[in-house]
Amino acid sequence: HLAHAQRRRVAKNIPADAVRIDANENPLGPCSGACASISSLIPEGGRYDYDLTLKLVSTFSDMEGLKPEYVMPYAGSSEPLHYTVLAFTSKDKPYVTGDPGYEAGMYAAKLSGAKILQVPLTKDYAHDVKAMVAADPNAGVLYICNPNNPTGTITSHDDIAYAVANKPKGSVILIDEAYIHFSDATPSLDFVKADKDVIVLRTFSKLYGMAGVRCGLAIGRPDLLAKLQFYGMNSLPIMAVAAATTSLQDKDLIAQRKKINADIRQNTFEWLTANNYKFTPSQSNCFMLDTGRQGKEVLAAMQQKNVYIGRVWPSWPTYVRITVGTHTDMDKFRTAYKEVMASSTA
Ligand code: PLP
């Protein structure tokens, strides 16, 4: 996964003045309290300060009514995503995921030698939980991303409950809630509290705007989390954990940022609808847009106009993923997209 990410970074070489709506980042960055925490800790950078990490764990577990041993912090959610797939899939234990879906778990499944079973989303763009639980009786991990990346669409709590109740014996349901704060989706922490075979992932990279600062959480039964430790344990960056704690303590932050994102997304959707463009009904900070032609060509044509949009999924070749940026970003996106669609070459 890391090699993949590095390749992408090298290949993109994005100009400084480009519109960057390609990576589901938050243009607002860390909140002001988080920035203050980071700055104030720079002189302490010579220390391993485990207390700051424990403070993050206790802050999150108190807020969510979890026992602290059910919460394991990481430098982002990519590591626990990767480790969960490595720990619970193998040559005999397939990896089941939605399609189109976030690909990172598939890279880990390739390493573990697991068969990868991609199950198309339903016509409402939810995970097809019935098909996922039936995909293979020996499945090791069923990955549900809620809201889903790249579509931004929701899988209902009832559907997730169905997957938890009917999953293959011995499998783990991995519920990736990277984008949950942007949406009205019901979180899945109740399954963790009920000691089910469920691991929930959270990250500070999206609503909290800390993709470059790096902090995330795996939440699950301690015996499940213990299996991830085998693949890597590390001290966390003290600025990241402190900024994450400060972000959690800002009581208005989720509502404020959710509204900012929803307003800009709604504005964009109204324009797309008025222009007869088709897109997925996202509740997140990204959506899939049907270009009606080869998405890769549209992506390249948009880059020519200095607007960097997200990638294409092989199963949906005419769609491109768009991240909801600032109002200015989306204005520039609209202008460029209209020009690209009007030209016959892309
Ligand atoms: N999960 C999903 C669904 C994502 O989209 C991403 C990043 O884009 C991640 C996990 C990993 O993010 P991070 O490692 O920054 O938490």
Side-chain angles (χ1 to χ4, degrees):
H1 176 55
L2 192 62
H4 167 78
Q6 275 163 350
R7 261 201 311 277
R8 274 203 312 202
R9 262 198 296 279
V10 171
K12 275 192 178 168
N13 204 10
I14 299 182
D17 64 347
V19 173
R20 295 170 65 167
I21 50 172
D22 62 318
N24 293 357
E25 294 155 341
N26 190 333
L28 302 176
C31 66
S32 57
C35 290
S37 297
I38 292 169
S39 310
S40 70
L41 277 167
I42 293 171
E44 301 302 316
R47 301 285 174 196
Y48 303 106
D49 192 337
Y50 298 114
D51 289 347
L52 289 173
T53 297
L54 295 176
K55 178 83 191 300
L56 168 63
V57 169
S58 65
T59 303
F60 182 80
S61 52
D62 285 353
M63 283 172 66
E64 298 293 350
L66 290 154
K67 292 188 195 130
E69 57 270 31
Y70 282 63
V71 179
M72 185 65 72
Y74 288 90
S77 60
S78 295
E79 277 174 286
L81 167 51
H82 210 83
Y83 297 164
T84 303
V85 177
L86 291 179
F88 297 102
T89 70
S90 65
K91 276 205 296 298
D92 315 314
K93 290 176 149 282
Y95 175 69
V96 183
T97 184
D99 184 33
Y102 185 56
E103 308 95 325
M106 295 201 286
Y107 302 126
K110 277 187 189 144
L111 286 179
S112 77
K115 192 157 62 159
I116 296 169
L117 302 167
Q118 291 176 270
V119 177
L121 301 180
T122 66
K123 62 175 181 5
D124 301 326
Y125 310 106
H127 285 75
D128 188 341
V129 289
K130 290 211 163 118
M132 288 180 81
V133 301
D136 192 303
N138 297 316
V141 171
L142 277 62
Y143 173 73
I144 296 177
C145 189
N146 196 32
N148 188 42
N149 180 4
T151 53
T153 49
I154 299 298
T155 299
S156 74
H157 192 260
D158 283 352
D159 278 355
I160 296 178
Y162 177 90
V164 173
N166 295 286
K167 71 185 183 61
K169 201 160 175 285
S171 64
V172 167
I173 311 265
L174 178 59
I175 305 173
D176 188 335
E177 296 188 339
Y179 301 94
I180 193 97
H181 312 98
F182 288 116
S183 75
D184 296 327
T186 308
S188 286
L189 292 177
D190 54 327
F191 301 116
V192 172
K193 287 179 200 164
D195 278 334
K196 302 291 183 191
D197 296 331
V198 167
I199 294 177
V200 173
L201 301 177
R202 293 280 177 93
T203 182
F204 290 88
S205 295
K206 306 300 176 181
L207 179 125
Y208 293 107
M210 290 180 26
V213 180
R214 311 302 300 141
C215 194
L217 303 169
I219 306 130
R221 233 171 44 224
D223 65 293
L224 297 177
L225 297 183
K227 298 224 163 73
L228 313 194
Q229 303 268 301
F230 181 73
Y231 296 91
M233 289 200 317
N234 207 347
S235 261
L236 292 178
I238 60 170
M239 290 92 173
V241 291
T245 305
T246 311
S247 301
L248 291 176
Q249 288 166 335
D250 184 333
K251 296 281 175 274
D252 302 322
L253 192 63
I254 295 180
Q256 280 167 357
R257 290 188 163 197
K258 182 180 175 186
K259 180 166 169 24
I260 291 169
N261 177 70
D263 287 350
I264 299 173
R265 187 182 65 221
Q266 184 55 25
N267 214 269
T268 308
F269 283 1
E270 280 165 17
W271 181 84
L272 290 170
T273 305
N275 286 277
N276 292 319
Y277 297 127
K278 202 177 132 207
F279 52 89
T280 55
S282 166
Q283 287 200 28
S284 182
N285 73 338
C286 67
F287 58 91
M288 286 293 259
L289 173 60
D290 190 358
T291 68
R293 45 183 104 171
Q294 285 302 308
K296 285 198 171 131
E297 288 165 20
V298 174
L299 200 146
M302 292 291 282
Q303 278 190 18
Q304 291 301 313
K305 298 184 183 295
N306 216 17
V307 176
Y308 284 68
I309 59 172
R311 56 191 184 274
V312 175
W313 267 253
S315 55
W316 289 21
T318 64
Y319 284 75
V320 288
R321 190 188 67 189
I322 308 292
T323 300
V324 177
T326 61
H327 274 298
T328 310
D329 289 339
M330 301 323 276
D331 276 348
K332 290 183 179 166
F333 158 75
R334 286 194 278 264
T335 305
Y337 192 65
K338 198 146 201 190
E339 284 170 12
V340 167
M341 286 294 109
S343 82
S344 55
T345 46

